Amino acid sequence: VGDERERQAQFFLETGVRTRAVTRHAHDHGVAALAIGVGVNLATYPADTETPATSLDAAGFTVTPGTILSAICTRFLLWHEIWRSRGFAPLRKAWLARAHGLGSDIRVRHGTTDMRGRFVDLDLSGALVLENREGRRHISAGAVFPTA
């Protein structure tokens, strides 16, 4: 069982699928299950990326896929229980306290559309709030990049 779990963890971590947030829209429309993919570069990292990439190994941390999977699942279950018992507000507060780039200019890519503006908030549904001269946009999905 241990070897199979390790193999599954390795596959899970190497897929490179980005995390996608659950929005109130999904909740309100009866979503009963969710698959979350998290890409973590453990030993290697791609060299030709739009933004700099690294790995835990390059940063001096040697971690097995099973160890990182266990850590991710443990924290996910903790925050899931907080969300179920107390609602989204505690998650939002904790996320904003740790958010990199809050108040900074960012670029958000959704499909073939790029949006630029200042990252000002995370709304009550979990959407990123982007502000630019056109006003405020609430963005529930997309790849977020810092701007120079």
Side-chain angles (χ1 to χ4, degrees):
V1 174
D3 289 341
E4 178 62 15
R5 183 174 176 190
E6 187 80 10
R7 187 189 66 71
Q8 290 173 352
Q10 183 71 31
F11 173 77
F12 171 75
L13 292 170
E14 290 179 350
T15 58
V17 177
R18 304 272 185 227
T19 303
R20 297 291 182 242
V22 178
T23 64
R24 180 160 304 284
H25 174 80
H27 180 266
D28 290 347
H29 288 86
V31 173
L34 172 69
I36 298 175
V38 179
V40 178
N41 296 328
L42 299 179
T44 63
Y45 57 93
D48 298 328
T49 58
E50 187 173 349
T51 58
T54 191
S55 69
L56 290 174
D57 188 64
F61 301 97
T62 302
V63 181
T64 68
T67 300
I68 197 79
L69 180 61
S70 178
I72 290 170
C73 289
T74 298
R75 297 305 292 178
F76 181 84
L77 290 173
L78 170 78
W79 285 106
H80 182 258
E81 185 53 39
I82 291 170
W83 174 60
R84 287 184 55 163
S85 64
R86 297 172 43 205
F88 181 65
L91 278 72
R92 179 180 175 271
K93 181 179 178 182
W95 193 91
L96 285 169
R98 294 166 177 85
H100 177 74
L102 185 60
S104 300
D105 289 336
I106 60 170
R107 177 172 55 99
V108 180
R109 179 181 303 142
H110 185 257
T112 59
T113 303
D114 270 3
M115 298 163 274
R116 294 178 182 269
R118 190 166 52 92
F119 167 30
V120 295
D121 202 0
L122 188 70
D123 74 15
L124 298 178
S125 74
L128 181 144
V129 181
L130 182 75
E131 183 176 67
N132 57 29
R133 60 184 167 239
E134 298 164 3
R136 287 189 171 199
R137 295 188 68 165
H138 296 250
I139 302 167
S140 59
V144 178
F145 303 95
T147 59

Short mmCIF file of all heavy atoms in Angstrom, two decimals, residues 6-53:
data_model
loop_
_atom_site.label_atom_id
_atom_site.label_comp_id
_atom_site.label_asym_id
_atom_site.label_seq_id
_atom_site.Cartn_x
_atom_site.Cartn_y
_atom_site.Cartn_z
N GLU A 6 2.81 6.18 -2.67
CA GLU A 6 3.93 7.00 -3.11
C GLU A 6 3.86 7.24 -4.62
O GLU A 6 4.07 8.34 -5.10
CB GLU A 6 5.25 6.32 -2.73
CG GLU A 6 6.48 7.15 -3.00
CD GLU A 6 6.73 8.19 -1.93
OE1 GLU A 6 6.09 8.19 -0.88
OE2 GLU A 6 7.60 9.04 -2.17
N ARG A 7 3.52 6.19 -5.39
CA ARG A 7 3.40 6.32 -6.84
C ARG A 7 2.28 7.28 -7.21
O ARG A 7 2.44 8.14 -8.07
CB ARG A 7 3.13 4.95 -7.48
CG ARG A 7 3.17 4.97 -9.01
CD ARG A 7 2.70 3.66 -9.61
NE ARG A 7 1.29 3.40 -9.36
CZ ARG A 7 0.27 4.05 -9.94
NH1 ARG A 7 0.49 5.01 -10.77
NH2 ARG A 7 -0.98 3.74 -9.67
N GLN A 8 1.15 7.17 -6.53
CA GLN A 8 0.03 8.07 -6.79
C GLN A 8 0.39 9.50 -6.42
O GLN A 8 0.05 10.44 -7.14
CB GLN A 8 -1.21 7.61 -6.04
CG GLN A 8 -1.81 6.34 -6.58
CD GLN A 8 -2.93 5.82 -5.70
OE1 GLN A 8 -3.17 6.30 -4.62
NE2 GLN A 8 -3.61 4.79 -6.20
N ALA A 9 1.09 9.67 -5.32
CA ALA A 9 1.50 11.01 -4.90
C ALA A 9 2.44 11.61 -5.93
O ALA A 9 2.34 12.79 -6.26
CB ALA A 9 2.17 10.94 -3.53
N GLN A 10 3.37 10.81 -6.43
CA GLN A 10 4.32 11.30 -7.44
C GLN A 10 3.56 11.77 -8.68
O GLN A 10 3.82 12.84 -9.21
CB GLN A 10 5.32 10.20 -7.80
CG GLN A 10 6.38 10.65 -8.79
CD GLN A 10 7.36 11.61 -8.18
OE1 GLN A 10 7.65 11.55 -7.00
NE2 GLN A 10 7.87 12.52 -8.99
N PHE A 11 2.62 10.96 -9.15
CA PHE A 11 1.83 11.33 -10.32
C PHE A 11 1.06 12.61 -10.05
O PHE A 11 1.04 13.54 -10.86
CB PHE A 11 0.85 10.21 -10.70
CG PHE A 11 -0.09 10.60 -11.79
CD1 PHE A 11 0.34 10.63 -13.11
CD2 PHE A 11 -1.38 10.98 -11.51
CE1 PHE A 11 -0.52 11.01 -14.13
CE2 PHE A 11 -2.24 11.36 -12.51
CZ PHE A 11 -1.81 11.38 -13.83
N PHE A 12 0.43 12.68 -8.90
CA PHE A 12 -0.36 13.85 -8.51
C PHE A 12 0.49 15.11 -8.54
O PHE A 12 0.10 16.14 -9.05
CB PHE A 12 -0.95 13.61 -7.12
CG PHE A 12 -1.60 14.81 -6.50
CD1 PHE A 12 -2.84 15.24 -6.92
CD2 PHE A 12 -0.97 15.50 -5.47
CE1 PHE A 12 -3.45 16.33 -6.34
CE2 PHE A 12 -1.58 16.59 -4.88
CZ PHE A 12 -2.82 17.02 -5.32
N LEU A 13 1.70 15.02 -8.01
CA LEU A 13 2.56 16.20 -7.89
C LEU A 13 3.23 16.58 -9.21
O LEU A 13 3.56 17.73 -9.43
CB LEU A 13 3.60 15.98 -6.80
CG LEU A 13 3.00 15.92 -5.40
CD1 LEU A 13 4.06 15.48 -4.41
CD2 LEU A 13 2.44 17.27 -4.99
N GLU A 14 3.44 15.61 -10.10
CA GLU A 14 4.13 15.90 -11.34
C GLU A 14 3.21 16.34 -12.48
O GLU A 14 3.69 16.71 -13.54
CB GLU A 14 4.93 14.69 -11.79
CG GLU A 14 6.12 14.42 -10.90
CD GLU A 14 6.91 13.21 -11.33
OE1 GLU A 14 6.43 12.44 -12.20
OE2 GLU A 14 7.98 13.02 -10.79
N THR A 15 1.91 16.30 -12.27
CA THR A 15 1.00 16.66 -13.36
C THR A 15 1.07 18.13 -13.72
O THR A 15 0.77 18.51 -14.84
CB THR A 15 -0.46 16.30 -13.01
OG1 THR A 15 -0.81 16.97 -11.81
CG2 THR A 15 -0.63 14.81 -12.88
N GLY A 16 1.45 18.98 -12.76
CA GLY A 16 1.58 20.39 -13.05
C GLY A 16 0.26 21.13 -13.19
O GLY A 16 0.24 22.27 -13.63
N VAL A 17 -0.83 20.50 -12.84
CA VAL A 17 -2.13 21.16 -12.94
C VAL A 17 -2.21 22.24 -11.88
O VAL A 17 -1.85 22.03 -10.73
CB VAL A 17 -3.27 20.14 -12.75
CG1 VAL A 17 -4.62 20.82 -12.79
CG2 VAL A 17 -3.19 19.05 -13.80
N ARG A 18 -2.65 23.40 -12.25
CA ARG A 18 -2.72 24.53 -11.33
C ARG A 18 -3.97 24.43 -10.45
O ARG A 18 -4.99 23.88 -10.83
CB ARG A 18 -2.80 25.84 -12.11
CG ARG A 18 -1.65 26.02 -13.05
CD ARG A 18 -0.51 26.68 -12.35
NE ARG A 18 0.52 26.95 -13.30
CZ ARG A 18 1.78 26.68 -13.10
NH1 ARG A 18 2.17 26.13 -11.99
NH2 ARG A 18 2.68 26.97 -14.00
N THR A 19 -3.87 24.98 -9.27
CA THR A 19 -4.99 25.00 -8.34
C THR A 19 -6.08 25.93 -8.85
O THR A 19 -5.81 26.99 -9.35
CB THR A 19 -4.52 25.50 -6.95
OG1 THR A 19 -3.47 24.66 -6.51
CG2 THR A 19 -5.64 25.51 -5.95
N ARG A 20 -7.30 25.55 -8.70
CA ARG A 20 -8.44 26.39 -9.06
C ARG A 20 -9.33 26.52 -7.83
O ARG A 20 -9.60 25.55 -7.13
CB ARG A 20 -9.25 25.79 -10.21
CG ARG A 20 -8.46 25.69 -11.50
CD ARG A 20 -8.19 27.08 -12.06
NE ARG A 20 -7.49 27.00 -13.31
CZ ARG A 20 -6.29 27.50 -13.52
NH1 ARG A 20 -5.63 28.09 -12.55
NH2 ARG A 20 -5.73 27.40 -14.69
N ALA A 21 -9.77 27.69 -7.58
CA ALA A 21 -10.57 27.95 -6.38
C ALA A 21 -12.03 27.61 -6.61
O ALA A 21 -12.55 27.69 -7.70
CB ALA A 21 -10.44 29.42 -5.99
N VAL A 22 -12.69 27.23 -5.53
CA VAL A 22 -14.13 27.02 -5.56
C VAL A 22 -14.79 28.37 -5.33
O VAL A 22 -14.42 29.10 -4.45
CB VAL A 22 -14.57 26.07 -4.42
CG1 VAL A 22 -16.08 25.89 -4.42
CG2 VAL A 22 -13.88 24.75 -4.55
N THR A 23 -15.74 28.70 -6.14
CA THR A 23 -16.43 29.98 -5.98
C THR A 23 -17.83 29.73 -5.43
O THR A 23 -18.36 28.62 -5.49
CB THR A 23 -16.54 30.72 -7.31
OG1 THR A 23 -17.35 29.95 -8.19
CG2 THR A 23 -15.16 30.95 -7.95
N ARG A 24 -18.42 30.78 -4.92
CA ARG A 24 -19.79 30.69 -4.43
C ARG A 24 -20.71 30.22 -5.56
O ARG A 24 -21.65 29.48 -5.34
CB ARG A 24 -20.27 32.03 -3.87
CG ARG A 24 -21.70 31.94 -3.35
CD ARG A 24 -22.07 33.03 -2.39
NE ARG A 24 -21.22 33.15 -1.25
CZ ARG A 24 -21.24 32.34 -0.19
NH1 ARG A 24 -22.07 31.32 -0.16
NH2 ARG A 24 -20.44 32.53 0.82
N HIS A 25 -20.41 30.61 -6.79
CA HIS A 25 -21.20 30.18 -7.95
C HIS A 25 -21.28 28.66 -8.00
O HIS A 25 -22.36 28.09 -8.16
CB HIS A 25 -20.60 30.74 -9.24
CG HIS A 25 -21.26 30.23 -10.48
ND1 HIS A 25 -22.43 30.74 -10.94
CD2 HIS A 25 -20.92 29.23 -11.31
CE1 HIS A 25 -22.79 30.09 -12.04
NE2 HIS A 25 -21.88 29.17 -12.28
N ALA A 26 -20.13 28.00 -7.86
CA ALA A 26 -20.11 26.54 -7.90
C ALA A 26 -20.90 25.97 -6.73
O ALA A 26 -21.70 25.04 -6.90
CB ALA A 26 -18.67 26.02 -7.86
N HIS A 27 -20.71 26.54 -5.55
CA HIS A 27 -21.44 26.08 -4.37
C HIS A 27 -22.93 26.24 -4.55
O HIS A 27 -23.71 25.34 -4.27
CB HIS A 27 -20.96 26.85 -3.13
CG HIS A 27 -21.65 26.44 -1.88
ND1 HIS A 27 -22.76 27.08 -1.41
CD2 HIS A 27 -21.39 25.43 -1.02
CE1 HIS A 27 -23.16 26.48 -0.29
NE2 HIS A 27 -22.34 25.49 -0.03
N ASP A 28 -23.36 27.40 -5.06
CA ASP A 28 -24.78 27.67 -5.24
C ASP A 28 -25.42 26.78 -6.31
O ASP A 28 -26.62 26.64 -6.35
CB ASP A 28 -25.00 29.14 -5.62
CG ASP A 28 -24.71 30.08 -4.45
OD1 ASP A 28 -24.58 29.59 -3.30
OD2 ASP A 28 -24.60 31.29 -4.70
N HIS A 29 -24.61 26.20 -7.18
CA HIS A 29 -25.15 25.36 -8.24
C HIS A 29 -24.99 23.87 -7.95
O HIS A 29 -24.99 23.04 -8.85
CB HIS A 29 -24.51 25.75 -9.57
CG HIS A 29 -25.01 27.07 -10.06
ND1 HIS A 29 -24.44 28.26 -9.66
CD2 HIS A 29 -26.05 27.39 -10.85
CE1 HIS A 29 -25.10 29.26 -10.21
NE2 HIS A 29 -26.09 28.76 -10.93
N GLY A 30 -24.84 23.53 -6.68
CA GLY A 30 -24.91 22.13 -6.27
C GLY A 30 -23.69 21.29 -6.56
O GLY A 30 -23.81 20.08 -6.72
N VAL A 31 -22.51 21.88 -6.64
CA VAL A 31 -21.31 21.08 -6.84
C VAL A 31 -21.09 20.20 -5.61
O VAL A 31 -21.00 20.70 -4.49
CB VAL A 31 -20.08 21.98 -7.10
CG1 VAL A 31 -18.80 21.15 -7.15
CG2 VAL A 31 -20.27 22.76 -8.38
N ALA A 32 -21.02 18.90 -5.82
CA ALA A 32 -20.89 17.96 -4.69
C ALA A 32 -19.47 17.44 -4.53
O ALA A 32 -19.15 16.86 -3.51
CB ALA A 32 -21.84 16.79 -4.90
N ALA A 33 -18.63 17.61 -5.53
CA ALA A 33 -17.27 17.11 -5.45
C ALA A 33 -16.34 18.07 -6.18
O ALA A 33 -16.78 18.84 -7.03
CB ALA A 33 -17.18 15.72 -6.09
N LEU A 34 -15.10 18.00 -5.82
CA LEU A 34 -14.12 18.90 -6.41
C LEU A 34 -12.80 18.18 -6.55
O LEU A 34 -12.36 17.48 -5.64
CB LEU A 34 -13.93 20.12 -5.49
CG LEU A 34 -12.82 21.08 -5.83
CD1 LEU A 34 -13.17 21.83 -7.12
CD2 LEU A 34 -12.62 22.06 -4.69
N ALA A 35 -12.17 18.30 -7.70
CA ALA A 35 -10.83 17.77 -7.90
C ALA A 35 -9.87 18.96 -7.94
O ALA A 35 -10.09 19.90 -8.69
CB ALA A 35 -10.74 17.00 -9.21
N ILE A 36 -8.86 18.91 -7.09
CA ILE A 36 -7.90 20.00 -7.02
C ILE A 36 -6.54 19.47 -7.43
O ILE A 36 -6.08 18.47 -6.91
CB ILE A 36 -7.82 20.57 -5.58
CG1 ILE A 36 -9.17 21.15 -5.18
CG2 ILE A 36 -6.73 21.63 -5.49
CD1 ILE A 36 -9.21 21.63 -3.74
N GLY A 37 -5.90 20.15 -8.35
CA GLY A 37 -4.55 19.80 -8.76
C GLY A 37 -3.60 20.87 -8.26
O GLY A 37 -3.87 22.06 -8.39
N VAL A 38 -2.50 20.45 -7.68
CA VAL A 38 -1.50 21.38 -7.17
C VAL A 38 -0.15 20.97 -7.75
O VAL A 38 0.26 19.84 -7.58
CB VAL A 38 -1.44 21.34 -5.62
CG1 VAL A 38 -0.37 22.29 -5.11
CG2 VAL A 38 -2.78 21.65 -5.01
N GLY A 39 0.50 21.89 -8.44
CA GLY A 39 1.82 21.61 -8.98
C GLY A 39 2.89 22.08 -8.03
O GLY A 39 2.94 23.25 -7.68
N VAL A 40 3.75 21.17 -7.58
CA VAL A 40 4.86 21.50 -6.70
C VAL A 40 6.13 20.93 -7.33
O VAL A 40 6.22 19.72 -7.55
CB VAL A 40 4.68 20.92 -5.28
CG1 VAL A 40 5.87 21.25 -4.40
CG2 VAL A 40 3.38 21.40 -4.65
N ASN A 41 7.09 21.78 -7.63
CA ASN A 41 8.36 21.32 -8.18
C ASN A 41 9.23 20.83 -7.03
O ASN A 41 9.76 21.62 -6.27
CB ASN A 41 9.06 22.44 -8.94
CG ASN A 41 8.29 22.90 -10.15
OD1 ASN A 41 7.59 22.12 -10.78
ND2 ASN A 41 8.40 24.17 -10.47
N LEU A 42 9.36 19.51 -6.91
CA LEU A 42 10.14 18.94 -5.82
C LEU A 42 11.63 18.88 -6.14
O LEU A 42 12.45 19.40 -5.39
CB LEU A 42 9.63 17.54 -5.47
CG LEU A 42 8.19 17.44 -4.99
CD1 LEU A 42 7.83 16.00 -4.69
CD2 LEU A 42 7.96 18.32 -3.78
N ALA A 43 11.99 18.22 -7.23
CA ALA A 43 13.40 17.99 -7.54
C ALA A 43 13.91 18.80 -8.72
O ALA A 43 15.07 19.17 -8.75
CB ALA A 43 13.62 16.49 -7.80
N THR A 44 13.07 19.05 -9.68
CA THR A 44 13.47 19.79 -10.88
C THR A 44 12.45 20.88 -11.17
O THR A 44 11.38 20.93 -10.55
CB THR A 44 13.58 18.86 -12.10
OG1 THR A 44 12.28 18.33 -12.39
CG2 THR A 44 14.57 17.74 -11.87
N TYR A 45 12.79 21.73 -12.12
CA TYR A 45 11.87 22.79 -12.52
C TYR A 45 12.14 23.16 -13.97
O TYR A 45 13.25 22.98 -14.48
CB TYR A 45 12.00 24.01 -11.62
CG TYR A 45 13.39 24.60 -11.54
CD1 TYR A 45 13.76 25.63 -12.39
CD2 TYR A 45 14.32 24.12 -10.64
CE1 TYR A 45 15.03 26.17 -12.32
CE2 TYR A 45 15.60 24.64 -10.57
CZ TYR A 45 15.94 25.69 -11.41
OH TYR A 45 17.20 26.23 -11.35
N PRO A 46 11.13 23.67 -14.65
CA PRO A 46 11.33 24.05 -16.05
C PRO A 46 12.19 25.31 -16.16
O PRO A 46 12.09 26.22 -15.34
CB PRO A 46 9.90 24.31 -16.55
CG PRO A 46 9.12 24.61 -15.32
CD PRO A 46 9.77 23.86 -14.20
N ALA A 47 13.03 25.35 -17.17
CA ALA A 47 13.92 26.50 -17.35
C ALA A 47 13.26 27.59 -18.19
O ALA A 47 13.50 28.77 -17.96
CB ALA A 47 15.21 26.04 -18.02
N ASP A 48 12.45 27.22 -19.14
CA ASP A 48 11.85 28.20 -20.07
C ASP A 48 10.43 28.52 -19.66
O ASP A 48 9.47 28.02 -20.24
CB ASP A 48 11.87 27.65 -21.49
CG ASP A 48 13.28 27.40 -21.99
OD1 ASP A 48 14.17 28.14 -21.57
OD2 ASP A 48 13.48 26.45 -22.78
N THR A 49 10.28 29.37 -18.63
CA THR A 49 8.96 29.76 -18.17
C THR A 49 8.81 31.27 -18.26
O THR A 49 9.80 32.01 -18.26
CB THR A 49 8.73 29.31 -16.71
OG1 THR A 49 9.74 29.88 -15.88
CG2 THR A 49 8.74 27.80 -16.58
N GLU A 50 7.60 31.70 -18.34
CA GLU A 50 7.30 33.13 -18.44
C GLU A 50 7.77 33.90 -17.20
O GLU A 50 8.20 35.04 -17.28
CB GLU A 50 5.79 33.30 -18.64
CG GLU A 50 5.37 34.70 -18.92
CD GLU A 50 3.90 34.80 -19.28
OE1 GLU A 50 3.24 33.78 -19.51
OE2 GLU A 50 3.41 35.93 -19.31
N THR A 51 7.64 33.26 -16.06
CA THR A 51 8.13 33.85 -14.81
C THR A 51 9.12 32.85 -14.21
O THR A 51 9.06 31.66 -14.50
CB THR A 51 6.97 34.12 -13.82
OG1 THR A 51 6.29 32.89 -13.56
CG2 THR A 51 6.00 35.15 -14.37
N PRO A 52 10.04 33.31 -13.37
CA PRO A 52 11.05 32.40 -12.81
C PRO A 52 10.42 31.23 -12.06
O PRO A 52 9.41 31.39 -11.38
CB PRO A 52 11.83 33.30 -11.85
CG PRO A 52 11.60 34.69 -12.33
CD PRO A 52 10.21 34.69 -12.91
N ALA A 53 11.04 30.07 -12.21
CA ALA A 53 10.60 28.86 -11.51
C ALA A 53 11.77 28.29 -10.73
O ALA A 53 12.93 28.55 -11.05
CB ALA A 53 10.07 27.83 -12.50
#
